[in-house]
Amino acid sequence: METLTRAQLVEAIYAQVGLSRNESAALLESVLGRMATALGKGESVKISAFGTFAVRQKSERIGRNPKTGVEVPIMPRKVLSFRPSQVLKARINHEPVGSALDEDS
Amino acid sequence: MTRSELIAQLAAENPHLRHSDVEAIVTTIFEEITATLSEGRRVELRGFGAFSVKRRDPRTGRNPRTGESVEVSGKAVPFFKPGKELREVVNGGPPQAGAPKPPARPAKTKA
């Protein structure tokens, strides 16, 4: 099955919004660039009906080279996590949006 | 940053576009990604990351309150794997192409 890449997103913006393909491509890069910049500052990016991208701090720990058994410190680092929204999870499972919430009540 | 803050930033950066167009661009991008994933296809945005769908097998769960077993049906869950450049940006590495550079910091104490 075909993977969606920048080219198809540019085509979708071009078709939906009516900008030129060049400008559609530039705007797509702006969207991704702005998200990356916010995440780089440690901010989370919350896109309603899609999900939340958040930066988590990992502290230093001792790792081991599985081949040699030598212990090496793994430096403290930041990792990015993505939490899908209920809407996205429902859409992927072809469930009516909001059914997950209805079950609780 | 929220979706509306993202739209506001883009609108400020592109004064020649109508606010409704900027909103439509952001909506289209996330709608296309969602639609693709719901067909079970992957989304790959080099430098940023890749979205994919992982299958969870059906399992027998338990109601934690009553201890009753319940069949939990299999489901699909969306997954995001950040790309190399985005991982570097998050760790304060070289900024992604197109992203504004962070202000230069004077070198720390050199004894």
Side-chain angles (χ1 to χ4, degrees):
Chain A
M1 266 186 292
E2 210 201 324
T3 298
L4 185 91
T5 62
R6 277 179 172 76
Q8 288 83 44
L9 284 178
V10 167
E11 210 53 35
I13 296 168
Y14 166 78
Q16 292 287 320
V17 189
L19 303 184
S20 72
R21 284 191 174 87
N22 267 339
E23 196 165 23
S24 298
L27 263 297
L28 173 60
E29 287 320 304
S30 288
V31 168
L32 299 178
R34 296 235 166 227
M35 290 174 72
T37 302
L39 292 166
K41 287 189 277 187
E43 267 180 65
S44 6
V45 175
K46 189 174 176 179
I47 307 293
S48 56
F50 188 76
T52 303
F53 299 84
V55 179
R56 287 207 328 255
Q57 177 74 49
K58 292 261 197 179
S59 48
E60 184 180 327
R61 64 190 169 91
I62 302 297
R64 203 183 279 275
N65 181 328
K67 203 169 281 179
T68 63
V70 178
E71 287 188 354
V72 280
I74 296 175
M75 290 298 142
R77 67 206 157 94
K78 290 174 179 155
V79 292
L80 188 60
S81 68
F82 173 66
R83 246 190 115 232
S85 76
Q86 294 296 335
V87 176
L88 178 59
K89 287 196 268 188
R91 290 266 316 263
I92 283 170
N93 284 285
H94 308 283
E95 285 163 2
V97 173
S99 67
L101 302 173
D102 293 343
E103 277 169 21
D104 292 335
S105 50
Chain B
M1 181 168 81
T2 62
R3 184 178 173 280
S4 47
E5 285 164 357
L6 172 62
I7 291 168
Q9 285 185 9
L10 293 163
E13 190 187 60
N14 297 279
H16 61 292
L17 295 180
R18 283 195 298 260
H19 198 274
S20 59
D21 283 345
V22 177
E23 220 173 312
I25 291 162
V26 172
T27 302
T28 300
I29 292 170
F30 293 107
E31 173 54 34
E32 283 299 310
I33 296 174
T34 302
T36 303
L37 293 174
S38 73
E39 289 167 21
R41 292 157 59 206
R42 266 171 73 78
V43 177
E44 233 176 79
L45 304 169
R46 284 286 154 86
F48 189 79
F51 296 90
S52 58
V53 177
K54 297 202 166 178
R55 300 254 12 134
R56 295 274 179 268
D57 288 335
R59 63 191 169 86
T60 309
R62 255 175 217 285
N63 181 329
R65 198 169 302 172
T66 63
E68 235 178 304
S69 338
V70 276
E71 290 307 314
V72 181
S73 49
K75 61 176 176 182
V77 288
F79 181 77
F80 175 68
K81 185 174 190 289
K84 185 167 173 280
E85 282 174 57
L86 184 55
R87 284 202 306 270
E88 285 174 354
V89 171
V90 164
N91 274 295
Q96 195 187 15
K101 278 189 185 159
R105 281 260 180 82
K108 272 199 177 171
T109 51
K110 224 166 76 181

